[in-house]
Amino acid sequence: MQETVPPGPAGSVSSTQRQRHGPASPPIAAAAFSGASVDGGVGGRVLVLNATYEPINVCSIRRAVVLLLKDKAEMIERGARQLHAESFTLARPLVIRLVTYVRVPRQAHRRKITRRAVFARDGWACQYCGSRSNLTVDHVVPRSKGGTSSWDNIVASCGPCNRRKGDQLLAHLDMELRRAPKTPRAEIFIHVSAPTIPSAWQPYLAQAA
Ligand SMILES: [Zn+2]
């Protein structure tokens, strides 16, 4: 496999370049980034890891730079490009890690029940028969029987299974769930929020199915 290395720009700068002009600490003016020199190759998004390296979020480059400059996060993976602001130059962050552990409230995930998130959690497969086509969202305990719209009562279901199940309880049918539905891990929301997962993120998301 041949790896092509693009030629550096004329008078290319060393990778250690990190300029700060003046004694004052750099202004953390988010507006300093016009975006003009921002590498848009991965959609301008940065993967945020908790202090434990668990992926918890996706944020903008701007937000990541603020966290880095405030020493609230450290750079884990950087891009080839440099970000230039008035008072400093910084490699474009791809993955950052929070210095302090942040408790991710389960409640925060509970709010974000969407079809895409349910399908992603369930591996894009019907939880009754395993089919991958015609996916719909099914309330395990039907709403008409008091079922709630919560993570533990909503599953991906193919159209035929959903119709067959209708308004009945599983106990009354010859159907069963392949696994009990529950609130997914944060990775699911990262997969849902980023249409394509940049390769630099892959090692940190490997545990997500
Ligand atoms: Zn099915």
Side-chain angles (χ1 to χ4, degrees):
M1 184 164 60
Q2 188 180 353
E3 193 169 301
T4 54
V5 179
S12 65
V13 294
S14 86
S15 60
T16 55
Q17 180 198 47
R18 189 160 191 251
Q19 301 168 338
R20 289 195 180 183
H21 300 296
S25 60
I28 305 174
F33 286 105
S34 62
S37 57
V38 166
D39 177 4
V42 289
R45 289 178 160 265
V46 181
L47 179 63
V48 182
L49 307 178
N50 212 336
T52 54
Y53 287 87
E54 178 199 5
I56 52 170
N57 204 356
V58 172
C59 75
S60 65
I61 292 176
R62 183 170 298 182
R63 173 78 185 140
V65 168
V66 169
L67 290 171
L68 289 167
L69 293 180
K70 284 185 169 175
D71 290 329
K72 296 200 169 188
E74 63 169 346
M75 182 90 81
I76 299 293
E77 299 281 347
R78 66 196 70 209
R81 299 265 185 90
Q82 302 264 318
L83 304 176
H84 300 285
E86 266 180 48
S87 55
F88 60 92
T89 296
L90 189 70
R92 187 263 195 247
L94 292 171
V95 180
I96 62 171
R97 169 177 170 261
L98 298 178
V99 172
T100 309
Y101 179 76
V102 172
R103 267 190 89 82
V104 181
R106 288 175 71 82
Q107 202 59 32
H109 294 161
R110 226 166 273 262
R111 275 188 276 115
K112 297 188 255 180
I113 301 180
T114 61
R115 288 167 62 87
R116 270 181 68 83
V118 170
F119 294 164
R121 179 199 63 182
D122 293 343
W124 299 87
C126 172
Q127 293 302 288
Y128 299 110
C129 75
S131 166
R132 292 178 175 276
S133 59
N134 242 321
L135 285 185
T136 64
V137 166
D138 177 56
H139 283 73
V140 179
V141 175
R143 274 178 291 194
S144 63
K145 292 191 163 45
T148 57
S149 292
S150 53
W151 280 111
D152 55 8
N153 193 48
I154 289 184
V155 295
S157 165
C158 70
C161 283
N162 205 337
R163 281 192 292 278
R164 186 173 149 225
K165 182 163 166 283
D167 243 7
Q168 304 176 76
L169 294 168
L170 285 182
H172 301 157
L173 291 159
D174 178 26
M175 292 174 79
E176 59 180 24
L177 286 166
R178 304 194 141 200
R179 61 185 169 191
K182 55 186 183 184
T183 304
R185 290 175 301 167
E187 284 98 328
I188 289 298
F189 301 99
I190 290 160
H191 281 281
V192 169
S193 68
T196 54
I197 300 296
S199 57
W201 295 10
Q202 303 280 7
Y204 306 94
L205 297 173
Q207 45 187 310

